[in-house]
Amino acid sequence: MHFLPSGRLKRSLRKQVILFGISVLLPALVLFVFIVRLNRQDNELRKKRAAEARQQKAEEIGQHLAERLEKTEKIVLQELASDSGNSQSVYRTHPNLVFVGNIIKEELLMPWEGNETQRLSLEAGRSEELILQAQKAEFEKNDLKLAVSLLNRALSSADSPSQKCFIQVQKGRVLSKLGDEEEAHRIYRDILGQPGDMTDEYGIPFSLYAAERLSVLSSEVETVLDRLEDLMEDIRWLPSSALYFIQDITEQVQEKSQDPDLLGRMANLRQSTENAQENLERLESLKGYVSSWMLRRRSLNKSGDPLTWEAHGDIPWIVGIREVNEGQSQVLLVFHGPGVLSTLIEESGLTETFPGTCQITLGPSGEGFSPGGPFEGFRIQFEETDVSAWSKSSLPFPILYWSILVLVVGFTTFGGYLLWRDVGRELAIAEMRSQFAASVSHELKTPLTSIRMFAEALTMGVKKRPKAQKEYLQTIISESERLSRLLNNVLDFSKIEQGTRTYRFEPTSLEEVIHAAEEAMAFPMDQKGFHLHVEVEKGIPTILADRDAIEQAVLNLLHNAMKYSGESREIQLKLHRNGDMASIDVTDYGIGIVEEDRDRIFGKFFRVQGVDNQKIPGTGLGLTIVSHITESHGGKVEVKSQPGEGSTFSIILPLEAK
Ligand code: ADP
């Protein structure tokens, strides 16, 4: 048997740890890093692919958008050419068309501007002269009747509907000055019903003048409101002044009405005039864009005219300028960006080919993807609503990699734990071994000292006292037996460890074994005042066993019973039959064993820790050998114990050899 010096042990443990590090930890770490990197690369690749897919989709959408805009543009221009007088119907047939207007002399004309025919028709002919005379009569001469008759004459010679309206407005005013309110209101009611594009030279519909006059009558409030609402709906673009006019009229009407329904309608009306004002401001700002576009066009020398579409404003308008009349003049077309886009996506079934929603965002850079083609200054942004093919992993089984990672980490941790446990055990055993070395020397010393002492006494003259002489001799025999038992135990253990302990099986009477043990214990027990009660059941058959080994086991138990008896001096040794088993029980009434130690006491070198136990000499091998002997005979050792009350150790052996 050999012991590892602690330095060597530590070195060997360190070697184990290093080996573990190299063979398990290092590969695990490499694998871990590899998988993490793989995943990161996959993520990047996924992002790249998604971006590419989006770019492609943006271009596809861009292509569709360009086709659709071009088509609509053609139709709008055709419609305008064929029906130049009425642009309102164009807006009605193309709901996403925000504005279409002429650019004359490099300047964008507002819808109500430059309506030359209107202005000319107002001023044209004899009626113009008559109107001027009537105004003179009304304001300078204060001759209202003359003014009425002059206006009547102008009316009959007027040749355009808008001119007639204009004259009627004058007439209404003069009549109400004259006090003929009834007739005046009749005229106003008539004008109120005139279409919205019947305007004066400032683009203000005549019906608004009539509405203003009629709004003073509470009976007309509803009619006036109806008309204002219709106007806002029918006419896409009203000049600012007309919008203010409408706001003024609603305010006037509001003072007269308490009806919550009407009040609600008025609030809505005001809201839509405010929205219209905002749009108007945007349109004004487009004027600047038009001049810069014209400048650019001139510098490009016209030939390279790119038919671009550009975006303007927060909720983007898609804006384009097109040549008409063989380059003589230009037209500005404005579409509602989100509107065109959503109808396009819906109608072309594009939603099915990409997940989520998409929208137009402004700016040449930033988020989103350029739709390419004829588009400038805006991008298309996608918002994915659920997991899609766009963000799918490129790895065949992404979950597999994560599982491998988890397994690797799990196994490494488990391996680490096993190693830690083993190292702990090794250290504990090393600690026990070093204690063992100390206790063996101690155990050897005590009997040797006694032997020597009594042998010396014998030589020195106890001869005359034969009783003492016999006692001394017996002590010497007993101590040498103790010595040989100790050495036997150590030698046996060493053989057990090396796996070379063999047993000689022969028919053995357990009863004889019990008596032999009783005999061997007689003197040491007597010497220490113990009483051994032996009880043997008759008729237990002989078994195949190594007689010496069984006796050694029984003696080990009896010696333990003595050692751990405390104050008690009673010990029982019992052989009895239990079914097809024979049981040898050794019972003491000593210190007992706590439950948690009951299994551990059979382990090598194990000794119960505690003040009482420490004082009792021992090597921690006795029970290890008992359990080995018993198990080699196909049996087992059992222990029943109560701390403070004693213990019973039973060697249970099968009667039939297997
Ligand atoms: P040793 O007695 O030499 O220490 P053993 O292997 O015989 O070694 O016993 C192991 C431990 O079991 C002892 O240290 C002791 O604490 C405990 N033990 C053994 N027999 C008894 C007993 N009869 N009563 C109480 N404790 C016992």
Side-chain angles (χ1 to χ4, degrees):
M1 133 146 235
H2 62 280
F3 304 113
L4 282 170
S6 69
R8 238 177 91 189
L9 176 77
K10 274 189 190 150
R11 244 175 287 135
S12 128
L13 293 179
R14 200 181 305 144
K15 216 165 105 188
Q16 275 190 49
V17 173
I18 291 172
L19 253 166
F20 175 79
I22 294 173
S23 61
V24 180
L25 216 58
L26 204 69
L29 204 74
V30 170
L31 203 63
F32 183 85
V33 171
F34 171 72
I35 292 176
V36 167
R37 278 202 59 180
L38 200 70
N39 260 294
R40 196 179 305 155
Q41 275 173 1
D42 177 46
N43 270 344
E44 271 161 25
L45 200 71
R46 205 189 295 181
K47 266 188 216 150
K48 216 176 113 193
R49 279 193 185 170
E52 277 168 12
R54 285 182 173 91
Q55 180 61 56
Q56 225 176 347
K57 188 49 72 180
E59 280 167 20
E60 191 187 325
I61 290 174
Q63 213 178 337
H64 279 91
L65 195 62
E67 279 166 18
R68 170 158 301 222
L69 288 178
E70 206 179 319
K71 210 166 108 192
T72 320
E73 167 200 318
K74 270 198 192 112
I75 301 172
V76 167
L77 293 181
Q78 263 169 20
E79 280 176 19
L80 282 180
S82 64
D83 180 17
S84 57
N86 186 5
S87 62
Q88 299 307 326
S89 66
V90 185
Y91 294 123
R92 245 166 267 139
T93 41
H94 305 280
N96 287 321
L97 180 71
V98 175
F99 176 77
V100 51
N102 292 321
I103 298 168
I104 305 232
K105 292 188 193 123
E106 307 207 345
E107 222 185 287
L108 176 67
L109 289 189
M110 287 296 157
W112 54 89
E113 278 174 353
N115 204 336
E116 289 295 298
T117 41
Q118 188 99 340
R119 201 170 56 76
L120 287 176
S121 76
L122 280 180
E123 287 172 3
R126 272 185 305 132
S127 49
E128 171 68 12
E129 186 55 36
L130 290 167
I131 292 166
L132 279 176
Q133 283 177 20
Q135 280 173 352
K136 227 181 224 169
E138 181 186 352
F139 298 110
E140 285 173 20
K141 299 181 194 151
N142 221 359
D143 188 347
L144 297 174
K145 286 209 170 117
L146 176 66
V148 173
S149 74
L150 281 169
L151 285 173
N152 277 339
R153 275 173 59 201
L155 210 53
S156 57
S157 63
D159 40 21
S160 77
S162 50
Q163 204 174 27
K164 275 186 183 139
C165 262
F166 178 69
I167 299 164
Q168 290 282 39
V169 172
Q170 319 280 323
K171 190 178 160 191
R173 186 183 61 230
V174 182
L175 282 174
S176 62
K177 272 188 191 167
L178 263 173
D180 189 356
E181 294 288 355
E182 207 175 307
E183 180 61 9
H185 287 155
R186 195 195 57 75
I187 291 174
Y188 285 139
R189 259 182 233 112
D190 185 45
I191 303 170
L192 192 70
Q194 295 298 322
D197 52 1
M198 197 79 83
T199 66
D200 66 7
E201 69 240 70
Y202 310 106
I204 299 176
F206 290 116
S207 48
L208 276 185
Y209 292 102
E212 196 260 340
R213 288 302 161 113
L214 288 171
S215 65
V216 293
L217 303 173
S218 22
S219 56
E220 299 293 330
V221 168
E222 216 167 328
T223 333
V224 169
L225 257 184
D226 283 346
R227 182 69 193 121
L228 294 183
E229 282 169 350
D230 286 350
L231 261 181
M232 285 303 295
E233 212 162 283
D234 289 348
I235 309 296
R236 176 63 68 88
W237 294 102
L238 282 169
S240 223
S241 46
L243 292 172
Y244 287 131
F245 208 170
I246 294 175
Q247 281 169 1
D248 285 349
I249 298 168
T250 36
E251 259 160 47
Q252 260 183 56
V253 176
Q254 204 164 349
E255 283 162 19
K256 292 194 180 57
S257 174
Q258 299 299 325
D259 184 348
D261 182 40
L262 292 183
L263 287 175
R265 283 172 60 190
M266 280 177 241
N268 284 345
L269 200 60
R270 194 156 329 113
Q271 187 57 51
S272 44
T273 53
E274 273 160 24
N275 293 347
Q277 291 281 17
E278 247 170 63
N279 282 343
L280 214 54
E281 275 163 31
R282 284 180 75 174
L283 198 61
E284 290 286 349
S285 79
L286 269 184
K287 272 190 153 180
Y289 160 76
V290 167
S291 359
S292 73
W293 185 87
M294 295 305 289
L295 212 72
R296 211 164 26 155
R297 182 172 154 274
R298 219 180 302 141
S299 70
L300 281 173
N301 207 10
K302 206 179 165 195
S303 53
D305 180 15
L307 291 172
T308 55
W309 293 103
E310 289 178 33
H312 281 259
D314 290 339
I315 300 165
W317 282 353
I318 302 181
V319 179
I321 295 172
R322 298 291 175 267
E323 300 278 339
V324 284
N325 299 339
E326 283 149 19
Q328 291 308 299
S329 64
Q330 293 83 28
V331 166
L332 178 82
L333 288 137
V334 179
F335 290 93
H336 190 268
V340 186
L341 191 67
S342 67
T343 37
L344 173 83
I345 286 169
E346 243 168 65
E347 285 168 19
S348 333
L350 283 169
T351 1
E352 281 134 48
T353 58
F354 79 91
T357 55
C358 86
Q359 62 190 47
I360 293 178
T361 52
L362 279 189
S365 59
E367 282 179 65
F369 298 86
S370 162
F375 299 105
E376 269 176 25
F378 72 90
R379 303 168 82 80
I380 288 180
Q381 197 185 3
F382 297 95
E383 239 172 66
E384 278 177 73
T385 45
D386 51 3
V387 184
S388 68
W390 285 7
S391 47
K392 231 168 86 185
S393 168
S394 61
L395 294 174
F397 304 108
I399 196 94
L400 186 78
Y401 295 87
W402 285 115
S403 323
I404 291 175
L405 200 67
V406 170
L407 279 182
V408 164
V409 171
F411 277 132
T412 320
T413 319
F414 185 62
Y417 162 73
L418 287 184
L419 180 75
W420 174 76
R421 208 184 58 174
D422 262 27
V423 167
R425 274 189 192 160
E426 293 269 332
L427 282 173
I429 289 179
E431 172 72 25
M432 283 177 181
R433 277 183 174 155
S434 67
Q435 269 181 21
F436 165 78
S439 46
V440 164
S441 350
H442 183 75
E443 287 268 280
L444 284 173
K445 230 162 114 189
T446 325
L448 274 177
T449 318
S450 321
I451 290 170
R452 189 181 171 150
M453 210 175 72
F454 286 105
E456 275 177 6
L458 277 176
T459 57
M460 278 164 69
V462 261
K463 282 176 200 148
K464 287 157 214 158
R465 285 186 286 140
K467 219 178 156 193
Q469 198 178 2
K470 192 183 172 202
E471 176 121 341
Y472 283 10
L473 281 171
Q474 253 175 342
T475 311
I476 290 173
I477 293 169
S478 157
E479 288 299 286
S480 25
E481 270 171 359
R482 184 172 155 194
L483 260 182
S484 59
R485 193 175 48 81
L486 173 74
L487 289 173
N488 273 347
N489 274 351
V490 173
L491 283 173
D492 271 355
F493 174 71
S494 174
K495 282 183 188 161
I496 289 170
E497 282 281 271
Q498 288 166 12
T500 55
R501 172 70 161 110
T502 51
Y503 296 97
R504 209 157 38 86
F505 290 91
E506 55 187 3
T508 304
S509 156
L510 289 177
E511 193 177 335
E512 279 175 32
V513 174
I514 296 289
H515 288 308
E518 183 187 6
E519 212 171 293
M521 289 308 286
F523 181 74
M525 288 229 173
D526 192 39
Q527 215 180 20
K528 288 190 178 143
F530 278 93
H531 302 281
L532 181 67
H533 304 275
V534 183
E535 216 179 288
V536 176
E537 193 181 311
K538 291 289 167 202
I540 293 178
T542 52
I543 61 166
L544 264 187
D546 185 323
R547 192 198 143 96
D548 292 343
I550 303 284
E551 191 183 327
Q552 189 192 358
V554 176
L555 286 177
N556 275 356
L557 290 185
L558 285 170
H559 275 283
N560 274 356
M562 275 170 71
K563 279 201 290 186
Y564 303 107
S565 261
E567 300 293 301
S568 157
R569 283 296 173 262
E570 304 298 321
I571 294 172
Q572 271 194 344
L573 174 61
K574 195 174 163 190
L575 168 68
H576 64 103
R577 187 182 176 140
N578 195 355
D580 52 357
M581 305 293 251
S583 178
I584 302 166
D585 300 348
V586 177
T587 307
D588 66 68
Y589 302 95
I591 58 172
I593 308 158
V594 293
E595 195 179 341
E596 56 180 44
D597 284 338
R598 259 172 239 162
D599 288 331
R600 291 156 58 184
I601 50 175
F602 296 99
K604 51 189 177 188
F605 306 120
F606 184 83
R607 306 204 67 219
V608 171
Q609 299 299 307
V611 199
D612 293 346
N613 264 280
Q614 297 294 306
K615 280 190 232 143
I616 303 167
T619 55
L621 292 182
L623 288 179
T624 315
I625 291 166
V626 172
S627 98
H628 190 268
I629 292 173
T630 323
E631 276 163 23
S632 303
H633 283 75
K636 59 183 176 184
V637 192
E638 277 180 0
V639 58
K640 292 191 193 90
S641 186
Q642 277 295 324
E645 286 180 24
S647 330
T648 298
F649 284 82
S650 305
I651 296 176
I652 299 169
L653 297 168
L655 286 172
E656 298 285 330
K658 279 176 190 137

